[in-house]
């Protein structure tokens, strides 16, 4: 039985899709069978970030409504053999998904894969609630910024009340993944620190992903950053986070500002 | 970066942290409850309306949530002509 992990945040644009792709790719590279499901019906983007946008034939809605078999809709990644994508529908809206339909898909995938990563849409409506509904674990993607932290807190409340596990009196295992962290700004007191975020949310930390230009370069070419630039600081942080998700004890490294004296004096920022 | 910033360590992050802590403490407590301010406003106005004719537009309500206490300020302009006969009640 595989693990169902929802990647969620409440707020949009904080890095859910980027994180789903990056974590999924590393987990698959380590030999696990991984499927990524895009729950953002109507605004799908995981296909684009994964570089599979031209290979989409059937989608999640087609499968839940019986218009396609699950195996027909799954797209195998061209780089990592054990990585698959189930895209969202682009032409339908979120009401096209039913709880029974999603339950059927997730249960079928749970049998065949080690990890089912559900990329949640932003918001707290139906789409987001269905993405988290059957989760065993949750990765809460948070930027060190007030509106993102507030929305994460709201999502934590939903994870503790609206999931199937919560309704059965069990708990979804929650992890916070801080993304777009700028060590220099945090050191100068211009950005919430990791300790601030963790103290406010009281959820254990999965990883700290530094702000990096490599993330945009990767999405430009349609490849998870962990595959596109494995030595990039953000990619390495994602790789560590993936190991922690697997239960490995990897020491947490808080990114530090890498600035030479010259750059410091000129006020230049590093990638 | 200005030279002054170079030595100054305190930024806006502590403010962000404090604002979040106050806000979330409130939001967590009130997640599954009706909005206290809305309830108080309606009930207080109902009580006053029993005795005085109040125009909804003449009611000004402000709220200030602090970390440990909050203030609810209700400012009602009562026209002198609107006072109902107290003897009748």
């Amino acid at each position: 039985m595989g693990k169902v992990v929802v990647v969620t945040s409440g707020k949009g644009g904080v890095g859910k899709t980027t994180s789903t792709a990056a974590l999924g790719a590393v987990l698959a590279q380590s030999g696990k069978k991984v499927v990524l499901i895009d729950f953002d019906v109507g605004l799908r983007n995981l296909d684009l970030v994964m570089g599979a946008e031209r290979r989409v034939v059937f989608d999640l809605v087609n499968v839940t409504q019986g218009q396609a078999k699950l195996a027909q809709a799954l797209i195998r990644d061209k780089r990592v053999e054990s990585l698959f994508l189930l895209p969202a529908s682009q032409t339908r809206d979120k009401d096209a998904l039913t709880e029974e339909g999603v339950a059927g898909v997730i249960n079928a995938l749970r049998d065949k894969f080690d990890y089912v990563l559900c990329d949640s849409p932003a918001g707290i409506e139906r789409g987001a609630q269905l993405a988290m509904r059957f989760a065993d674990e949750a990765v809460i993607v948070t930027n060190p910024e007030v509106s993102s932290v507030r929305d994460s807190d709201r999502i934590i409340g939903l994870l503790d009340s609206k999931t199937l596990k919560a309704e059965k009196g069990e708990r979804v295992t929650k992890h916070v993944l801080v993304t777009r962290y700028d060590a220099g700004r945090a050191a100068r007191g211009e950005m919430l620190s990791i300790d601030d975020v963790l103290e406010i949310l009281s959820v254990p930390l999965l990883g700290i992903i530094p702000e990096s230009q490599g993330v945009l370069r990767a999405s430009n070419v349609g490849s998870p950053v962990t595959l596109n630039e494995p030595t990039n600081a953000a990619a390495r942080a994602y790789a560590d986070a993936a190991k922690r998700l697997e239960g490995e004890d990897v020491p947490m490294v808080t990114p530090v500002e890498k600035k030479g004296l010259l750059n410091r004096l000129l006020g230049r920022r590093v990638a | 970066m200005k030279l002054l910033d170079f030595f100054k360590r305190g930024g806006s992050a502590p403010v962000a942290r404090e604002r979040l802590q106050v806000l979330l403490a409130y939001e967590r407590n009130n997640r599954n409850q009706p909005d206290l301010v809305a309830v108080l406003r309606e009930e207080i106005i109902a009580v006053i309306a029993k005795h005085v004719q109040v125009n909804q537009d003449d009611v000004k309500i402000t709220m200030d949530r602090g970390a440990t206490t909050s203030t609810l300020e209700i400012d009602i302009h009562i026209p002198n002509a609107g006072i109902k006969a107290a003897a009748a009640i």
Side-chain angles (χ1 to χ4, degrees):
Chain A
M1 280 283 270
K3 245 194 248 179
V4 179
V5 182
V6 61
V7 181
T8 184
S9 69
K11 191 175 183 300
V14 296
K16 284 180 295 297
T17 301
T18 300
S19 299
T20 305
L23 291 173
V26 188
L27 288 168
Q29 253 184 340
S30 75
K32 294 283 186 286
K33 275 196 86 177
V34 180
V35 60
L36 315 177
I37 311 180
D38 191 347
F39 272 85
D40 206 345
V41 176
L43 289 170
R44 76 170 172 223
N45 274 317
L46 188 56
D47 57 331
L48 201 52
V49 169
M50 293 296 293
E53 71 276 11
R54 290 187 298 174
R55 299 167 62 206
V56 176
V57 183
F58 295 112
D59 55 54
L60 176 61
V61 173
N62 294 141
V63 178
T64 59
Q65 296 187 342
Q67 292 141 353
K69 290 261 183 286
L70 188 53
Q72 294 176 307
L74 289 178
I75 302 171
R76 184 194 285 266
D77 190 85
K78 288 196 166 166
R79 297 151 296 216
V80 186
E81 198 172 84
S82 60
L83 181 59
F84 290 79
L85 168 70
L86 180 55
S89 168
Q90 184 68 343
T91 52
R92 311 291 289 270
D93 63 44
K94 289 181 175 65
D95 295 331
L97 286 180
T98 60
E99 179 165 341
E100 299 71 40
V102 172
V105 169
I106 297 227
N107 287 335
L109 291 173
R110 206 198 273 272
D111 286 342
K112 295 189 188 76
F113 288 87
D114 298 310
Y115 282 96
V116 180
L117 296 191
C118 304
D119 184 18
S120 173
I124 53 169
E125 309 301 324
R126 187 183 180 77
Q129 293 200 13
L130 279 175
M132 70 169 66
R133 182 73 185 150
F134 305 99
D136 302 309
E137 299 197 18
V139 173
I140 301 143
V141 182
T142 308
N143 291 167
E145 181 270 324
V146 287
S147 54
S148 174
V149 175
R150 178 198 209 173
D151 292 358
S152 291
D153 191 72
R154 186 90 164 83
I155 281 292
I156 290 166
L158 293 179
L159 286 165
D160 289 338
S161 62
K162 301 277 185 182
T163 52
L164 202 61
K165 277 211 150 187
E167 284 175 9
K168 285 195 289 187
E170 298 167 30
R171 277 192 160 245
V172 173
T173 307
K174 301 182 291 277
H175 315 267
V176 164
L177 184 65
V178 177
T179 56
R180 308 201 70 165
Y181 180 76
D182 185 327
R185 303 198 75 183
R188 289 193 294 278
E190 296 171 9
M191 183 181 258
L192 286 169
S193 71
I194 298 298
D195 287 343
D196 289 341
V197 174
L198 295 183
E199 192 194 321
I200 291 166
L201 296 179
S202 336
V203 168
L205 182 64
L206 183 69
I208 308 161
I209 314 299
E211 173 79 57
S212 165
Q213 297 183 3
V215 170
L216 180 59
R217 282 195 295 267
S219 88
N220 283 343
V221 299
S223 172
V225 67
T226 39
L227 297 183
N228 199 49
E229 300 180 29
T231 56
N232 171 281
R236 281 185 284 129
Y238 273 123
D240 283 351
K243 285 184 192 152
R244 290 186 198 108
L245 202 58
E246 288 243 68
E248 249 182 81
D249 191 14
V250 183
M252 192 71 65
V253 186
T254 306
V256 285
E257 195 176 18
K258 288 190 211 104
K259 266 191 176 182
L261 183 64
L262 190 63
N263 279 336
R264 203 176 260 271
L265 290 175
L266 293 173
R268 275 192 210 141
R269 308 185 59 193
V270 287
Chain B
M1 191 193 294
K2 286 183 198 135
L3 194 63
L4 187 67
D5 294 341
F6 203 83
F7 298 103
K8 203 175 71 184
R9 273 313 192 225
S12 51
V15 181
R17 174 197 158 100
E18 204 187 307
R19 288 177 57 218
L20 269 172
Q21 281 171 331
V22 171
L23 174 70
L24 294 182
Y26 173 80
E27 286 190 344
R28 285 170 189 158
N29 281 331
N30 293 278
R31 210 158 261 163
N32 300 309
Q33 291 167 23
D35 184 8
L36 177 67
V37 181
V39 173
L40 285 178
R41 187 191 61 209
E42 272 167 38
E43 291 189 7
I44 291 172
I45 290 176
V47 167
I48 293 170
K50 245 171 51 181
H51 304 279
V52 186
Q53 273 194 330
V54 183
N55 188 343
Q56 285 284 347
D57 296 340
D58 293 333
V59 181
K60 225 165 58 188
I61 299 168
T62 52
M63 172 86 176
D64 191 5
R65 275 201 307 270
T68 49
T69 54
S70 306
T71 52
L72 176 66
E73 221 174 82
I74 303 183
D75 183 357
I76 306 174
H77 288 255
I78 303 170
N80 293 336
I83 299 171
K84 292 175 183 170
I89 299 164

